[in-house]
Amino acid sequence: MGNIGLWRIIVVKSLPYVDMRKTGKVPKFLSHRLFPSARYSIWIDSKMRLNADPMLIIEYFLWRTRSEYAISNHYDRHCVWEEVAQNKRLNKYNHTAIDEQFIFYQSDGLVKFNESAQNLTLPSFVPEGSFIVRAHTPMSNLFSCLWFNEVDGFTSRDQLSFAYTFLKLKRMNPARPFYLNMFKDCERRAITKLFHHKVEDSNPPPSL
């Protein structure tokens, strides 16, 4: 019947990319376009499972903080410069493409993260993007579309474009507040459980 328990499974077809890393960004960022009647959405990576009631998650991360978008900071890195270096160190994406994206962001005003700066806009410039809670408000939807545009135009490494997208949205819309709740990564880990994509057999067959 297309259900697993209380969950209704919806298969999204005719996705626009050959690159599966970019294909995954369509439901991640454009849930308000895929499900226009939905008022809220929760994104979790396929390697994760929720350990809490979704309504309680919405209440805790959005309603309680009067936010419209909630995402955790990265557990280790807070500056885009560090994230760029790590992506290149681990060969997460083509180095030339990363450099082109990073040079463009710097030319458009992106600076290093400074946690001691006055009027700090974000507690971190690098998110842990595996878990996102959203209210489908106009500003939340706009931010999601703009973030998707960066992934579409540059690399699929969305941690690289998060701070640039947020800061430019705030700069271009000074009269329209965007209520983003960037919470600590320990809160994300408290309500999700990580599963590896590949599970090794605990009882492998004997060698011949």
Side-chain angles (χ1 to χ4, degrees):
M1 300 298 293
N3 286 51
I4 298 178
L6 295 176
W7 298 96
R8 180 162 60 96
I9 308 303
I10 297 175
V11 179
V12 179
K13 299 180 180 180
S14 302
L15 292 167
Y17 302 108
V18 175
D19 184 351
M20 292 304 295
R21 291 173 297 185
K22 284 196 172 183
T23 294
K25 307 305 179 183
V26 174
K28 180 173 184 176
F29 294 131
L30 302 181
S31 56
H32 62 287
R33 302 289 297 273
L34 295 174
F35 312 107
S37 62
R39 296 176 59 193
Y40 300 93
S41 62
I42 300 173
W43 166 266
I44 55 172
D45 278 2
S46 60
K47 62 187 177 183
M48 299 172 62
R49 300 292 183 272
L50 291 179
N51 284 339
D53 186 313
M55 290 304 299
L56 294 178
I57 290 174
I58 292 171
E59 188 276 332
Y60 181 80
F61 288 105
L62 297 184
W63 299 345
R64 190 176 299 188
T65 60
R66 297 183 179 181
S67 303
E68 53 193 322
Y69 200 104
I71 188 170
S72 73
N73 60 25
H74 196 274
Y75 54 87
D76 184 43
R77 295 179 293 281
H78 300 288
C79 184
V80 182
W81 271 250
E82 298 171 345
E83 186 65 23
V84 166
Q86 182 71 355
N87 273 263
K88 294 169 72 173
R89 186 180 302 118
L90 299 179
N91 289 316
K92 293 286 189 177
Y93 211 90
N94 178 275
H95 290 200
T96 301
I98 292 176
D99 287 339
E100 289 176 353
Q101 181 177 7
F102 191 40
I103 290 170
F104 175 78
Y105 288 169
Q106 292 178 76
S107 71
D108 200 28
L110 182 67
V111 297
K112 289 185 176 181
F113 176 73
N114 180 8
E115 61 182 355
S116 63
Q118 292 184 344
N119 301 319
L120 190 63
T121 308
L122 287 170
S124 172
F125 278 4
V126 182
E128 170 48 64
S130 60
F131 174 71
I132 301 173
V133 188
R134 293 176 51 198
H136 292 182
T137 62
M139 286 299 285
S140 173
N141 295 344
L142 176 58
F143 174 71
S144 295
C145 286
L146 293 175
W147 196 3
F148 176 81
N149 287 347
E150 295 304 314
V151 171
D152 177 62
F154 290 107
T155 73
S156 62
R157 306 302 299 170
D158 51 52
Q159 294 96 333
L160 300 178
S161 50
F162 168 78
Y164 170 79
T165 305
F166 176 83
L167 294 172
K168 186 171 183 178
L169 175 65
K170 297 284 284 187
R171 184 174 76 244
M172 300 296 291
N173 297 272
R176 298 182 65 187
F178 175 41
Y179 300 104
L180 185 142
N181 171 22
M182 196 171 197
F183 52 91
K184 293 184 178 180
D185 185 62
C186 58
E187 295 181 84
R188 175 190 65 86
R189 285 180 279 137
I191 60 169
T192 60
K193 183 176 182 180
L194 177 65
F195 287 83
H196 295 290
H197 288 299
K198 294 182 179 180
V199 180
E200 295 182 359
D201 189 350
S202 58
N203 296 299
S207 301
L208 298 178

